[in-house]
Amino acid sequence: MNPSLWTVRDRLQDLAPLVLDEERETSRAVARAFSRCGFSAEEWRTLHDAPLRAFLWVATADGSVRPREREACRRVLGAGRFSLSPLVGRISSEALRQLDMLGPERLGEAPDLEPLRPLCLRVADRLGLGEAARLQHFLLDVGWRVARASNGLLGLVGCVRREERQALLSLEEALGPQDGGG
């Protein structure tokens, strides 16, 4: 075998640690930048849990979580990783990892929305109204997509059952006014 020829597999295995190191360093840099904005550890936990709270709140409104609702959440979180908002991108990536680790005991109960109440206001105070609006839009998008997925074929045309509609309204109320103001 000619040692100057590498297979694609060998080359990818050789570069994998470099890619992982670069991703870890980027993640650390983003965390340092956000910590300088004054977010506490508790606020970070709330931000990281926010997409899954929105998902579970809407998905459990009519009973247990269906696989299609979970898949709809996965698609929204996957798209959120590429958001223009660094905050939305970061919490989307974290929530996507956490989504796969949700056990049946957590999937069966509706979460508490109380921690989300001051969330958008805190983001607006520290990062600006634009960032708060993007976060709010993202969390509501998670809810709407899950609600539509819950309704199967009717959801494709935008139909949402009464239970999910009520859950969406309470989620919207918890997140605060659309303009980010008081």
Side-chain angles (χ1 to χ4, degrees):
M1 182 173 182
N2 185 349
S4 64
L5 296 176
W6 287 356
T7 63
V8 173
R9 177 176 284 159
D10 290 340
R11 186 177 288 166
L12 290 176
Q13 288 175 345
D14 292 339
L15 295 178
L18 297 176
V19 171
L20 289 175
D21 286 342
E22 185 177 317
E23 286 177 4
R24 275 190 226 117
E25 186 57 37
T26 302
S27 179
R28 281 189 220 124
V30 170
R32 282 192 302 268
F34 282 127
S35 69
R36 282 187 235 135
C37 295
F39 287 110
S40 68
E42 181 63 32
E43 289 170 329
W44 269 116
R45 277 192 294 279
T46 303
L47 281 167
H48 282 179
D49 287 346
L52 294 181
R53 279 184 193 274
F55 158 63
L56 288 171
W57 181 255
V58 176
T60 58
D62 64 344
S64 62
V65 178
R66 295 176 188 83
R68 63 180 174 235
E69 293 170 330
R70 195 174 188 157
E71 188 56 38
C73 182
R74 186 181 320 281
R75 283 193 305 270
V76 175
L77 294 176
R81 292 182 314 165
F82 305 106
S83 172
L84 295 177
S85 165
L87 178 65
V88 170
R90 179 169 169 84
I91 66 172
S92 294
S93 297
E94 184 63 31
L96 197 53
R97 281 188 221 112
Q98 291 177 3
L99 181 65
D100 293 327
M101 294 185 291
L102 285 179
E105 67 281 346
R106 184 138 184 235
L107 287 174
E109 61 187 45
D112 182 21
L113 285 185
E114 199 57 39
L116 295 182
R117 292 202 184 278
L119 188 65
C120 288
L121 289 176
R122 285 183 278 181
V123 170
D125 288 343
R126 292 183 177 105
L127 299 176
L129 289 176
E131 203 65 20
R134 283 187 281 277
L135 173 65
Q136 183 180 24
H137 177 72
F138 171 69
L139 294 176
L140 290 173
D141 193 33
V142 168
W144 273 102
R145 299 265 181 106
V146 169
R148 288 181 22 208
S150 174
N151 292 302
L153 292 175
L154 290 175
L156 292 175
V157 293
C159 291
V160 176
R161 279 188 231 122
R162 184 175 45 93
E163 295 88 5
E164 283 101 358
R165 189 171 300 282
Q166 289 174 344
L168 287 165
L169 288 173
S170 61
L171 176 64
E172 188 174 343
E173 183 225 321
L175 293 173
Q178 288 285 46
D179 62 2

